[in-house]
């Protein structure tokens, strides 16, 4: 059973892609009744731009086979709604009036133009906690600008910190940390808002800039420039203060570059991370390599300063050593000797990880179109309740009738919603 911490809290989720939907799912994991309001008949951003997973039957709706939707929309009920019609707008007004939280992530000014800005919704529900999370906040010269993780990553300067010093700055993996920080920031902001509401009895508006929330993840980089006047350099796998500190190719698989974006090549490669922050850890690494004398007093590499001066030579030695065995065996040998090492797992490695399996974090989920899938679980487990997918990622419009009945619409009214295209369970022409 999902946690009951937020039982009785209703959340209206009007977000798309990743950060907002994932954050709303985390609220669902905590027991909130999260209602995903899908734009209709306009497909969502991910539906328009993301290819569906392979397999399935020819007549399967492609939007039901999009991986990111399945990961970021669990524990929600799904409602399609055309709020550009008066009937659809009225249904949303009723939903907001029944809710505790409303979350939206459109570009600044969009909800106001749609007729659902804070000044309007607070009149519908004076206990509502509304969170708006445009990329750069709700006000300022960027008002109306649209962005996703790549834009935020670049604006805050994270793109210039990632990657390798000998590679072009734009050659960075297309995985953006802002998607994660936005989701978790949403949860903390909403919970804080709910606590405040309990104290005051009235709702409130939260303006959460995803860019500003992400900037606090980079205090070292900002501090280096603001206080010391230094621009941090891209380090790749290195650490400016630690040697060894790197990722080395192990035996097995083809010689694929560690930064390759080729999926097949990445699966066939094998890498191990090795580091030593202290002299004792360096002694363990040196012993594993068969050269304990490298850690003895008097040797040039026995001190931190000496190892920093010999970064290239030590990296060459570790590269040669790593190539003699598999990543798993190399990591085990170094760790047993007292050093720090771990094999680099591929994206799917956690699916067979015994730690995750023992904790029950990975959960088998049956889906109408995707079949039985092993899915990653919530961020937390709150005793005595066990985290679960009480509601797998909802099918398009799966809960239309259920939710509209809760909003006091009759069967005849719901039928008119369908006939007029205000709700539906399939995108027209797709």
């Amino acid at each position: 059973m999902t946690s009951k911490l937020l039982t009785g809290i209703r959340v209206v989720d009007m977000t798309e892609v990743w950060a907002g939907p994932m954050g709303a799912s985390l609220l669902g994991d905590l027991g909130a009744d999260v209602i995903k309001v899908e734009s209709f008949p306009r497909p969502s951003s991910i539906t328009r731009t993301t290819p569906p997973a392979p397999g399935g039957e020819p007549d399967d709706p492609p939007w039901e086979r999009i991986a990111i939707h399945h990961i970021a929309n669990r524990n929600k009920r799904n409602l399609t709604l055309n709020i550009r019609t008066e009937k659809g707008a009225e249904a949303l007004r009723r939903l907001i009036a029944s809710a505790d939280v409303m979350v939206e992530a459109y570009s600044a000014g969009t909800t106001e133009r749609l007729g659902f800005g804070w000044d309007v919704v607070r009149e519908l529900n004076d206990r509502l906690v509304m969170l708006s999370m445009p990329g750069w906040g709700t006000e300022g010269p960027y008002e109306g600008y649209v962005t996703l993780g790549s834009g935020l990553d670049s604006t805050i300067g994270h793109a210039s910190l990632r990657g390798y010093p000998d590679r072009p700055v734009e050659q960075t993996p297309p995985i953006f940390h802002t998607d994660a920080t936005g989701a978790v920031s949403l949860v903390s902001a909403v919970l804080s808002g709910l606590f405040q509401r309990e104290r005051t009895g009235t709702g409130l508006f939260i303006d959460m800039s995803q860019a500003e929330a992400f900037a606090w993840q980079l205090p070292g980089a900002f501090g280096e420039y603001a206080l010391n006047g230094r621009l941090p350099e891209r380090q790749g796998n290195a650490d400016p203060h630690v040697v060894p500190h790197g990722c080395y190719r192990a035996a097995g698989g083809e010689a694929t570059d560690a930064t390759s974006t080729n999926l097949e090549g990445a699966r066939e490669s094998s890498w191990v991370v090795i580091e030593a922050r202290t002299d004792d850890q360096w002694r363990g690494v040196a012993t594993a390599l068969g050269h304990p004398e490298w850690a003895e007093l008097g040797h040039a590499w026995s001190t931190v300063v000496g190892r920093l001066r010999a970064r290239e030579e030590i990296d060459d030695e570790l590269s040669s050593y790593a190539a003699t065995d598999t990543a798993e065996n190399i990591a085990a040998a170094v760790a047993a000797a007292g050093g720090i090492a771990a094999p680099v797992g591929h994206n799917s490695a956690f699916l067979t990880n015994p730690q995750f399996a023992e904790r029950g974090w990975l959960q088998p989920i049956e889906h109408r179109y995707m079949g039985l899938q092993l899915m990653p679980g919530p961020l937390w487990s709150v005793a005595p309740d066990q985290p679960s997918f009480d509601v797998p990622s909802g099918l398009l419009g799966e809960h239309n009738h259920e939710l509209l009945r809760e909003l006091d619409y009759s069967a005849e009214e719901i039928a008119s919603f369908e006939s007029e295209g205000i709700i539906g369970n399939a995108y027209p022409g797709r």
Side-chain angles (χ1 to χ4, degrees), residues 197-279:
R197 186 190 71 171
E198 292 308 302
R199 285 194 292 265
T200 65
T202 59
L204 63 150
F205 177 74
I206 302 172
D207 172 2
M208 193 191 88
S209 160
Q210 293 186 55
E212 292 167 6
F214 177 52
W216 280 104
Q217 305 294 316
L218 306 172
F222 291 131
E224 272 292 278
Y225 183 74
L227 302 178
N228 300 323
R230 293 192 293 259
L231 285 173
E233 298 180 356
R234 302 162 77 213
Q235 300 294 328
N237 295 310
D239 185 303
H241 310 296
V242 179
V243 174
H245 189 289
C247 185
Y248 307 94
R249 190 175 187 283
E254 299 178 1
T256 307
D257 191 296
T259 63
S260 172
T261 58
N262 180 279
L263 182 60
E264 292 304 319
R267 286 174 177 164
E268 293 171 357
S269 60
S270 176
W271 300 82
V272 61
V273 172
I274 302 174
E275 72 167 290
R277 293 182 174 271
T278 67
D279 291 343

Side-chain angles (χ1 to χ4, degrees), residues 3-13 24 26-35 75-77 95-96 98-103 125 127-129 187 190-191 193-195 197-198 406:
S3 169
K4 298 182 179 65
L5 290 178
L6 294 182
T7 296
I9 298 297
R10 171 172 283 186
V11 178
V12 178
D13 173 18
L26 296 177
L27 295 175
D29 293 344
L30 292 174
D33 175 22
V34 181
I35 299 168
N75 285 335
K76 301 178 185 180
R77 294 191 286 171
L95 182 61
I96 292 171
S98 74
D100 299 278
V101 177
M102 174 181 172
V103 181
N125 183 347
R127 286 180 54 80
L128 185 73
V129 174
V187 175
V190 166
L191 293 180
L194 288 171
F195 278 123
R197 186 190 71 171
E198 292 308 302
E406 290 180 15

Side-chain angles (χ1 to χ4, degrees), residues 30-251:
L30 292 174
D33 175 22
V34 181
I35 299 168
K36 172 77 170 180
V37 179
E38 298 273 8
S39 62
F40 190 81
R42 164 194 169 272
S44 68
S45 299
I46 59 168
T47 302
R48 297 195 307 270
T49 61
T50 307
E57 299 298 325
D59 293 334
D60 284 355
W63 55 84
E64 304 293 4
R65 299 186 61 81
I66 296 175
I68 189 173
H69 173 74
H70 288 262
I71 295 294
N73 286 291
R74 64 169 178 261
N75 285 335
K76 301 178 185 180
R77 294 191 286 171
N78 192 290
L79 171 68
T80 56
L81 203 58
N82 184 351
I83 63 173
R84 294 185 182 276
T85 66
E86 177 50 36
K87 285 186 176 180
E90 173 58 23
L92 181 57
R93 285 191 285 267
R94 291 193 193 184
L95 182 61
I96 292 171
S98 74
D100 299 278
V101 177
M102 174 181 172
V103 181
E104 64 89 10
Y106 301 118
S107 59
T110 300
T111 51
E112 286 76 11
R113 290 191 297 273
L114 291 171
F116 292 95
W118 172 239
D119 289 342
V120 173
V121 300
R122 70 191 301 182
E123 295 298 324
L124 298 172
N125 183 347
D126 64 359
R127 286 180 54 80
L128 185 73
V129 174
M130 178 178 177
L131 181 140
S132 292
M133 52 184 296
W136 293 290
T138 62
E139 298 176 337
Y142 287 7
E143 182 176 344
Y145 284 18
V146 178
T147 187
L148 293 174
S150 56
L152 297 170
D153 200 64
S154 299
T155 301
I156 299 303
H158 193 216
S160 66
L161 300 176
R162 299 201 289 151
Y164 294 79
D166 59 339
R167 302 294 177 88
V169 68
E170 71 274 10
Q171 193 178 91
T172 56
I175 298 173
F176 304 107
H177 194 47
T178 52
D179 288 332
T181 59
V184 176
S185 297
L186 180 158
V187 175
S188 61
V190 166
L191 293 180
S192 298
L194 288 171
F195 278 123
Q196 176 69 358
R197 186 190 71 171
E198 292 308 302
R199 285 194 292 265
T200 65
T202 59
L204 63 150
F205 177 74
I206 302 172
D207 172 2
M208 193 191 88
S209 160
Q210 293 186 55
E212 292 167 6
F214 177 52
W216 280 104
Q217 305 294 316
L218 306 172
F222 291 131
E224 272 292 278
Y225 183 74
L227 302 178
N228 300 323
R230 293 192 293 259
L231 285 173
E233 298 180 356
R234 302 162 77 213
Q235 300 294 328
N237 295 310
D239 185 303
H241 310 296
V242 179
V243 174
H245 189 289
C247 185
Y248 307 94
R249 190 175 187 283

